[in-house]
Each structure stands twice: as structure tokens, then as C-alpha cells.
Amino acid sequence: MRVSLKDVAERAGVSIKTVSNVVNNYPHVTPAMRAKVQEAIDELGYRPNLTARHLRKGRTGIIALAVPELGNPYFAELAGAVIDAAAQHEFTVLLDHTRGDREQELLVSQGFRARVIDGLILSPLELEAEDLHGRADDVPLVLLGEREYDLPFDHIAIDNVAASREAVRHLIGRGRTRIAYLGARTDSANRPAHLRLDGWRAELTAAGLPTTDDMVVPVDGWDRDDGARAMARLLDSGIRPDAVFAYNDLIAIGAMRVLHERGLRVPWDVAVVGFDDIAESRFGAVSLTTIAPDKQAIARLAMASLLRSLSGRQEPGGRELTAEYRLVERESTLGRR
């Protein structure tokens, strides 16, 4: 049988209102009374009815997180961080996997779950700003990712240009001068890699090093096999870089495999830097130097933004919110200076 507030009140010898104040963490309860009620809660194993609590506020207690690829460790780790952040505020997270498909992203963004969720956190790949202008759904929306938007929704990202410049600066500091970029996109509709490419180009230019097109290798996707194919194409073209900066860790890991197969040693012959700091980057035969976005901060900022909207405190117009990042040095760049 489910334990009720009345049961707790009778065990503690207090009113139901007092128990409710303790459960909802209201400040006007004395420490002694709070301890007495908490003891009764622990003894009876009382658990609050979160569904009823949310319904009293006109909410479902559910938010949605829509990401392009749950099989990508970065998005899986980010989803875990969002779930943890939501739990701190007693929300449940519904996951949507869009596959980076524009129609699916449109469906999610236009509110096909509007009666189910209180808010949406969306990391789009294909959507353009015009797709979200005039959005009919009034469910609060927060955008994640590398895209640049001018929209009335909060957008949370790290400074991708600055992070990429730091990665390239690190390689230059290790004595590398022929630094390739793996992970550019050539199609016009899908451009989420351009900020990192801009950072690569800006830092090399500032150092007086070449940024020729033959050192930029486009990819069709962002997985290990895409990185392997990109690295093979670069080497087959006759170009021999002494360093690689990859759009993400998966591309970097694929590239490192091909370098090994071609008899090139990482980091002595070719240093490699990735982006995302997924768990896999720590456990290869050669651990991967990478840019580590603060995924927990991204999740906290996203949840705070949704709560701000739900409370009616969100001001008109979107905000650009920036999370921190850091360069994590590992074995893939520790060779020669």
C-alpha cells in the first residue's frame, strides 16, 4: 500500500500541512520539526507523488531531449547529463532520436509531443533559422549545438572557434606545421562543422602557416569509418601531414587506425587532436588529446533555461549561453616539440 502524507503526519504527530512543507522544502519549518518529519518519512519509506505535484502546477513533469544520433557517444553522454540535471528538478526526460533528418527535426520542433511535454531541448543538424521562425508550438524550446542562430530561443554551446584555435595552437606548440583538418562538410544544408574549421584556419593564419584546401578533408558523416576514409584519402593524395585536428573524437579515432595501418606512429610521425572528450578517447592504445566541452554545464544551462520559461521569467528574444571547455592533453600529442 502506498504511504500517504496522512500516514507520515500520524507517525510524526504533526499536521499534514507540516509534512507537505517539509516534503516541498519550504523554509518556514524549524530544524527540529524537519528532523522529526524526516525520521517518519524514512521509517515509512514515503515517496512523493511527482505526477500529482506537476499536475497541480499544470505540467506533465516531462521534458524532451532530441539529438541527432544516440549511437554517438557524445550525445549519449550529453543525454545522461541532461537526465541528471532534470532529475534535480524532479523532471523526467523523454529522448527523441532525429537521425539528423530535417523532416524529423521539424516534426519534433513543431510540437508533435506538445500535450506530453513541458519543454524541449533540441540539438539540430539540418534545421535552418527560417524553419523555426513562426513556430506555432508554445512549448519552451532550447537549442544546443554548434549552429549559429538569430532566433527568440535560448541557444547553448561552447565557443567552437576559440576551442578549435586552442587545439591547433597546442599542435603548433608541439612543433607541428602541416596540420590537416578532418571533418569539413561540403553540402550547403548541413553546416555544423564550419565554426571548428574557421578556428583551424584562423589559428594557422595567425601563426603564418598554410591553410590550403588540400589539407581540409570533407566527410559524409561523423563516425569512426568516416575518419578512417578521410585519413586514407589524404594520405593517398600524396599529402603527409605532421598533425591532424579532427571535427570530433570518432573521426580522430578512425584516422588514428589508418595511420597505424600505414606504418605512421602517433604521435611521433603524426599528432592527433579530437573534439568532445568521449569516454573512448581515454582508452585506446594511444589515448587521444581532445577538447572537452563541459557537458554537465550544458545540461544545467539547458534545464535552467526551460525552468525560466516555465516560470514566466523568460524575457523576449533568445540568449546565447556559453558553456566552458578545456583542452585535455593525452598521448596522441605528447611526441616531439
Side-chain angles (χ1 to χ4, degrees):
M1 180 181 294
R2 185 181 183 88
V3 178
S4 67
L5 287 178
K6 182 180 179 182
D7 297 327
V8 176
E10 290 177 352
R11 174 64 66 91
V14 300
S15 68
I16 293 176
K17 179 63 174 176
T18 298
V19 176
S20 177
N21 288 342
V22 172
V23 169
N24 289 289
N25 201 29
Y26 291 153
H28 48 277
V29 179
T30 66
M33 183 64 71
R34 189 179 300 277
K36 185 177 183 180
V37 172
Q38 188 62 53
E39 182 179 359
I41 287 173
D42 294 340
E43 289 175 354
L44 295 174
Y46 171 76
R47 294 292 180 270
N49 187 334
L50 298 182
T51 300
R53 183 182 298 179
H54 284 295
L55 288 175
R56 284 196 296 271
K57 297 179 181 178
R59 302 175 186 170
T60 66
I62 300 171
I63 65 169
L65 170 66
V67 297
E69 181 55 71
L70 278 173
N72 183 314
Y74 171 78
F75 290 114
E77 292 172 17
L78 178 63
V82 171
I83 290 168
D84 289 343
Q88 293 294 315
H89 301 279
E90 300 178 338
F91 279 85
T92 297
V93 178
L94 176 68
L95 292 178
D96 270 311
H97 176 203
T98 66
R99 303 181 305 279
D101 176 77
R102 182 173 179 272
E103 292 304 316
Q104 187 65 24
E105 290 178 352
L106 277 171
L107 184 65
V108 169
S109 68
Q110 296 301 329
F112 84 113
R113 297 192 190 277
R115 297 182 181 180
V116 178
I117 62 173
D118 295 320
L120 170 64
I121 301 171
L122 171 63
S123 180
L125 289 184
E126 294 284 354
L127 288 186
E128 301 293 343
E130 53 266 26
D131 293 321
L132 293 171
H133 276 299
R135 177 173 175 260
D137 183 24
D138 60 359
V139 169
L141 170 65
V142 176
L143 297 169
L144 304 182
E146 192 181 345
R147 305 297 298 278
E148 294 175 311
Y149 297 100
D150 181 16
L151 289 166
F153 311 111
D154 284 357
H155 174 222
I156 299 164
I158 69 168
D159 187 333
N160 279 272
V161 173
S164 299
R165 292 194 67 162
E166 183 168 344
V168 174
R169 190 179 311 125
H170 171 69
L171 289 168
I172 294 170
R174 306 300 299 183
R176 312 297 170 145
T177 59
R178 302 185 308 281
I179 303 171
Y181 178 80
L182 304 188
R185 303 289 288 205
T186 57
D187 49 312
S188 60
N190 196 335
R191 301 190 304 270
H194 75 285
L195 293 177
R196 296 178 193 177
L197 177 59
D198 288 348
W200 170 86
R201 184 174 289 112
E203 192 61 31
L204 288 178
T205 299
L209 295 173
T211 60
T212 54
D213 290 343
D214 57 2
M215 295 291 278
V216 177
V217 187
V219 295
D220 295 323
W222 287 295
D223 211 335
R224 301 163 190 83
D225 55 348
D226 299 295
R229 285 192 291 267
M231 192 73 248
R233 286 201 307 274
L234 184 65
L235 295 175
D236 290 343
S237 72
I239 294 174
R240 166 72 181 281
D242 61 10
V244 165
F245 173 46
Y247 171 78
N248 68 9
D249 287 349
L250 295 181
I251 288 175
I253 289 166
M256 289 167 68
R257 179 63 193 177
V258 169
L259 289 169
H260 171 73
E261 291 172 351
R262 299 291 182 94
L264 296 171
R265 301 168 304 157
V266 176
W268 296 277
D269 298 319
V270 184
V272 181
V273 177
F275 207 111
D276 287 344
D277 192 32
I278 61 175
E280 187 178 346
S281 66
R282 302 194 297 271
F283 296 105
V286 177
S287 60
L288 179 64
T289 294
T290 183
I291 294 290
D294 189 336
K295 303 179 189 77
Q296 285 70 35
I298 292 170
R300 288 193 302 269
L301 286 169
M303 197 65 215
S305 177
L306 287 184
L307 292 172
R308 186 182 179 91
S309 293
L310 289 170
S311 68
R313 293 183 290 111
Q314 186 70 286
E315 298 175 0
R319 299 175 298 166
E320 290 292 329
L321 304 173
T322 304
E324 296 299 317
Y325 66 88
R326 62 191 178 96
L327 176 72
V328 180
E329 296 183 33
R330 299 195 180 105
E331 294 165 334
S332 67
T333 60
L334 293 183
R336 77 180 158 89
R337 290 185 180 275

